[in-house]
């Protein structure tokens, strides 16, 4: 649940409550980042083909997660593997 007062800036991805808020206030009153559902397959294809790379900092984060620092990598693999 979110409470937004007059003049508040909403920054977020287009999911959950943000979808409902956008329907009420309009997307022009929000700063939405990230890919939309209909864009996901294209983004994945561009990353896999090498047309879009993952920045070195994010690669380092993935490597640390794979190392087991945050627990069993298997718990995170379904999120990270499709991105790399």
């Amino acid at each position: 649940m979110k409470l937004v007062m007059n003049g508040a800036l909403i920054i977020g991805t287009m999911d959950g409550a943000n979808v409902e808020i956008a329907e009420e206030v309009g997307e022009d009153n929000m700063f939405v980042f990230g890919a939309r559902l209909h864009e996901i397959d294209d983004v994945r294809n561009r990353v896999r083909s090498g047309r879009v790379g993952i920045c070195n900092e994010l690669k380092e984060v993935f490597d640390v997660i794979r190392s087991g620092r945050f627990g069993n990598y298997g718990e995170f693999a379904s999120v990270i593997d499709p991105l790399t």
Side-chain angles (χ1 to χ4, degrees):
M1 176 179 280
K2 296 182 182 186
L3 171 66
V4 179
M5 302 294 289
N6 289 341
L9 174 63
I10 300 173
I11 302 173
T13 58
M14 191 51 78
D15 62 350
N18 290 338
V19 172
E20 295 171 4
I21 293 170
E23 290 171 355
E24 294 296 322
V25 303
E27 285 187 43
D28 55 328
N29 294 305
M30 300 174 67
F31 179 77
V32 179
F33 60 90
R36 304 298 176 95
L37 181 62
H38 68 276
E39 300 169 320
I40 297 297
D41 288 335
D42 182 54
V43 171
R44 283 186 182 144
N45 290 333
R46 287 186 292 145
V47 168
R48 288 179 180 149
S49 71
R51 290 181 291 164
V52 174
I54 296 174
C55 68
N56 289 333
E57 291 85 358
L58 186 55
K59 286 179 185 177
E60 290 177 24
V61 169
F62 290 163
D63 289 342
V64 171
I65 294 171
R66 284 187 183 105
S67 76
R69 179 182 279 178
F70 301 107
N72 178 4
Y73 174 67
E75 295 177 21
F76 305 102
S78 65
V79 175
I80 294 174
D81 289 348
L83 299 173
T84 57

